[in-house]
Amino acid sequence: MLDVDLADELAELVGQLRGQLLRHHAAGTWAAPGGATARPAVDPEHPTAQADLGTGSGFTGTASIAALDAPVEPIEDTGAVRTPLGRRSLPQVRAELGECTRCKLSGTRKSIVFGVGAEDAPLMFVGEAPGEQEDKRGEPFVGPAGELLDKMIIAMGWSRQSVYINNIICCRPPGNRNPQPDEVAACKPFLEARITAIAPRIIVALGRPAANTLLGTDAPISALRGKFHDRNGIKVMPTFHPAYLLREPDRKRDAWADLKLVMAELARLGIQAPGTPRA
Ligand code: URA
């Protein structure tokens, strides 16, 4: 059985290291002193491939990141291959989750709702938990809240296929009650692993449970939204959950203001939306 805690801890270390590199990159100081030549993040589709940085990579210096040069190791229980610091591809993370029985929701769910979208999406959306429609179809945000989320994403110039959409927990709580702490705790290593695998530049946290889980706070969404929060080098923008916006349409203006900050930050990072965002 794979040690999920250790993998989680290692995944967090990778996140921190990546955050540092991103900050250096943003500051234009890619060259780090001495040591072995660094390699870029491993392609999730080809985790064992030795990537060649070449000269067009933007990484013109050398860096001492010995850990990234360690050999790859096979995972005992799945036979899959993973990289030294626990970074696994999305299919590997899904395989590891298996037919999960780590919490009591496994007794009532119809489907495990893992996530949908691009495996290298720069933009990730994290909601709370699957509802009835999602549980039936095995896909996040396909009910009424999902329709509104789709509109929000399209208005930003993106699509369900070009971003990544998931929830803090993968199974529907009975009657759509709030996720309980033990359920969030059981699923969190897999949320962490998805974040590490996809390595988004920005995460939009939809609603208080998602924002609180991602940021380790219990502050209300109204206190968190409207500004970026750093999470190991990844920017997190908390905003209102689309289900809340369906009940309180007057708050759509605030949510759109949050999403415009996300669009501006993506543009600042040089990441182009595949579609045409609404002005
Ligand atoms: N609400 C969520 O938070 N997630 C879903 O997938 C659907 C509704």
Side-chain angles (χ1 to χ4, degrees):
M1 183 71 187
L2 179 69
D3 185 339
V4 173
D5 283 347
L6 178 62
D8 194 29
E9 194 176 315
L10 292 174
E12 191 159 338
L13 279 173
V14 172
Q16 286 169 1
L17 179 59
R18 184 176 182 279
Q20 275 182 11
L21 290 173
L22 288 174
R23 279 190 288 278
H24 285 306
H25 185 51
T29 54
W30 264 110
T37 303
R39 289 196 246 123
V42 174
D43 177 352
E45 287 300 335
H46 305 285
T48 58
Q50 302 280 314
D52 181 5
L53 275 174
T55 48
S57 66
F59 198 125
T60 53
T62 58
S64 178
I65 314 174
L68 292 184
D69 284 328
V72 293
E73 296 167 349
I75 295 174
E76 257 174 45
D77 56 345
T78 64
V81 176
R82 67 173 167 152
T83 50
L85 293 184
R87 183 171 183 193
R88 289 151 285 167
S89 71
L90 219 44
Q92 285 171 343
V93 178
R94 180 63 191 88
E96 203 172 296
L97 183 61
E99 279 306 304
C100 184
T101 54
R102 291 169 181 83
C103 86
K104 55 189 175 302
L105 295 179
S106 60
T108 50
R109 68 154 188 251
K110 287 193 175 70
S111 335
I112 294 179
V113 181
F114 187 67
V116 68
E119 291 186 20
D120 59 353
L123 180 57
M124 176 186 273
F125 291 80
V126 179
E128 181 179 331
E132 188 180 11
Q133 295 298 317
E134 290 77 19
D135 186 39
K136 268 194 195 136
R137 290 179 43 187
E139 188 173 327
F141 283 100
V142 290
E147 276 175 32
L148 178 56
L149 179 62
D150 282 353
K151 285 183 190 163
M152 291 156 67
I153 291 171
I154 288 166
M156 294 173 77
W158 295 77
S159 64
R160 271 179 96 76
Q161 293 75 34
S162 58
V163 301
Y164 195 83
I165 303 172
N166 59 168
N167 287 300
I168 54 175
I169 63 170
C170 294
C171 297
R172 182 191 182 206
N176 296 349
R177 65 157 167 75
N178 291 341
Q180 294 174 349
D182 60 313
E183 296 156 3
V184 175
C187 227
K188 196 165 171 225
F190 294 93
L191 172 62
E192 297 287 358
R194 286 193 297 276
I195 293 171
T196 303
I198 294 165
R201 303 297 291 275
I202 298 182
I203 298 176
V204 177
L206 299 166
R208 182 176 183 169
N212 286 177
T213 300
L214 286 166
L215 299 175
T217 171
D218 62 0
I221 192 71
S222 54
L224 296 170
R225 60 157 289 271
K227 51 184 177 284
F228 285 107
H229 302 254
D230 179 73
R231 186 182 197 273
N232 302 327
I234 298 178
K235 290 186 160 67
V236 176
M237 173 61 76
T239 193
F240 295 119
H241 192 286
Y244 172 78
L245 295 175
L246 288 174
R247 292 194 305 273
E248 300 285 342
D250 286 354
R251 307 314 295 269
K252 283 184 187 173
R253 188 180 297 273
D254 293 328
W256 183 235
D258 299 342
L259 297 181
K260 284 208 281 193
L261 291 175
V262 171
M263 289 154 66
E265 183 60 17
L266 286 169
R268 198 190 67 80
L269 291 168
I271 297 167
Q272 252 198 317
T276 311
R278 213 168 58 196

